Amino acid sequence: MDVLTDEEVKKYQKDGYLVLEGFLDPEECDMLKARMSEIMERMDIPEHCRIQFSTNHEEQLKEQGNADYFITSGDKIRFFFEKGVFDEKGEFIIPRERALNKVGHALHAYEPLYKNVTHSQKVQNMARKLGLQCPVILQSMYIFKQPGIGGEVTPHQDATFLHTEPLGRVMGVWIALEDAMLENGCLWFIPGSHKNGITRRMVRTPKGTFPLTDFVGRERDYDDNLFIPAPVKKGGVVLIHGEVVHRSAHNMSDQSRHVYTFHIMESQDTHWSPENWLQPTQELPFPPLYT
């Protein structure tokens, strides 16, 4: 799969997401997983930064140290944990490698294997087929969805956290490094929901105040019956429009669901909100996709 077909482009535009099998070879997936194992082996986390990741974000950012750790992670490689993996002293109660929720948010910049996938000709060809003129990479994450404890991701739109003017300039590229099935927490979407705008934004609060981020507006209530599952085999990719509503369930199975994902923004004629939690830095401006 090197170039999207016209039919696939139309389906993405209609539904707000697109599932494509066979994007990476199984060997490529295994290499990315092996490199993450090496990264985990050398992770060194300050005690106050052993935060437990929550897709609701409010719980995650209650502590000053936790909030700093998150909001300054855009140009770094940092570690975020599932709920219930530490005791009251901050010590792991399960193996370290089974405790992680995700690693983010600059794997695409500092890790050659992930950088190569992010800037691969396949990704560039997809972006060109979708009409992107000057796409840049915003962030990247390795998501674990641990067996038995991989937390639910509640219904949301990526544009809540990555806001642009005009809307519709951000796309997620979600690569399954293991099978992502109904049993272990595949993605679910409301097709066409990317056409309804957004009602909630996560914004930085004024400098010197705490918490460091807050929410403006509220998430809509969604009918569970509208969600459609999007299972994908190892090596497949899901393209995610920034405004499409999606979620994933708690992973109750004994199989993990490892994913490498990153976000692309069309930068031409686009205003990146200075209120977004994620900001380019002098050390890491948003790198252009096309090389």
Side-chain angles (χ1 to χ4, degrees):
M1 196 280 303
D2 288 326
V3 181
L4 297 177
T5 65
D6 292 342
E7 291 74 20
E8 288 168 338
V9 171
K10 290 177 183 177
K11 183 169 178 56
Y12 173 75
Q13 293 171 340
K14 173 178 175 287
D15 293 340
Y17 71 98
L18 180 67
V19 178
L20 300 167
E21 299 286 1
F23 181 74
L24 293 185
D25 295 331
E27 296 76 18
E28 294 177 288
C29 296
D30 292 341
M31 289 174 63
L32 293 172
K33 289 175 60 180
R35 178 56 189 150
M36 182 51 61
S37 293
E38 295 172 353
I39 293 171
M40 287 190 293
E41 286 177 5
R42 60 176 173 80
M43 68 177 175
D44 182 21
I45 309 130
E47 289 297 325
H48 73 280
C49 291
R50 292 187 174 193
I51 73 173
Q52 302 177 104
F53 183 75
S54 168
T55 54
N56 292 322
H57 289 278
E58 291 92 336
E59 294 180 13
Q60 168 184 325
L61 303 176
K62 284 179 181 176
E63 301 293 333
Q64 180 77 46
N66 297 353
D68 288 337
Y69 189 74
F70 171 76
I71 207 168
T72 59
S73 66
D75 60 356
K76 300 174 182 65
I77 296 175
R78 287 185 169 169
F79 305 93
F80 303 87
F81 298 93
E82 291 287 357
K83 291 182 179 180
V85 300
F86 298 114
D87 62 19
E88 65 278 2
K89 297 179 180 178
E91 299 296 331
F92 289 102
I93 60 175
I94 63 174
R96 287 159 58 101
E97 66 275 8
R98 294 286 296 272
L100 279 161
N101 174 285
K102 71 173 186 175
V103 175
H105 291 93
L107 291 163
H108 63 282
Y110 302 127
E111 284 292 328
L113 286 180
Y114 297 95
K115 184 176 183 178
N116 289 342
V117 169
T118 305
H119 291 272
S120 67
Q121 199 60 54
K122 290 180 181 180
V123 173
Q124 293 187 43
N125 289 345
M126 286 195 309
R128 288 192 172 94
K129 185 68 176 181
L130 290 169
L132 303 185
Q133 300 298 311
C134 300
V136 297
I137 310 300
L138 300 176
Q139 65 167 359
S140 55
M141 296 177 284
Y142 191 107
I143 303 173
F144 296 86
K145 203 72 167 181
Q146 303 284 5
I149 64 169
E152 174 189 13
V153 177
T154 55
H156 69 283
Q157 299 161 287
D158 291 345
T160 291
F161 309 97
L162 306 171
H163 189 264
T164 63
E165 296 176 3
L167 287 170
R169 299 303 181 96
V170 172
M171 178 178 72
V173 180
W174 195 92
I175 304 171
L177 304 182
E178 299 176 325
D179 292 349
M181 300 288 109
L182 293 174
E183 297 78 17
N184 66 340
C186 70
L187 295 174
W188 293 65
F189 293 90
I190 299 181
S193 55
H194 61 302
K195 301 174 183 178
N196 299 327
I198 64 172
T199 59
R200 186 174 73 140
R201 286 183 56 198
M202 180 183 181
V203 299
R204 286 179 176 245
T205 54
K207 191 172 182 179
T209 62
F210 186 81
L212 303 182
T213 62
D214 201 357
F215 283 92
V216 177
R218 64 180 299 274
E219 198 73 46
R220 295 185 180 94
D221 293 323
Y222 301 109
D223 183 349
D224 280 347
N225 295 320
L226 297 178
F227 284 92
I228 304 296
V232 60
K233 290 285 190 178
K234 177 179 180 177
V237 65
V238 185
L239 303 184
I240 305 172
H241 190 285
E243 292 164 75
V244 72
V245 179
H246 57 292
R247 62 174 174 84
S248 67
H250 190 131
N251 182 8
M252 302 294 289
S253 79
D254 59 0
Q255 299 295 319
S256 57
R257 191 219 65 187
H258 288 203
V259 167
Y260 174 58
T261 183
F262 54 94
H263 285 91
I264 298 170
M265 178 184 73
E266 170 59 88
S267 65
Q268 182 168 292
D269 300 323
T270 302
H271 174 70
W272 178 254
S273 175
E275 294 182 326
N276 286 333
W277 78 266
L278 176 68
Q279 294 296 322
T281 64
Q282 185 174 354
E283 292 76 18
L284 182 60
F286 295 149
L289 171 64
Y290 299 148
T291 56

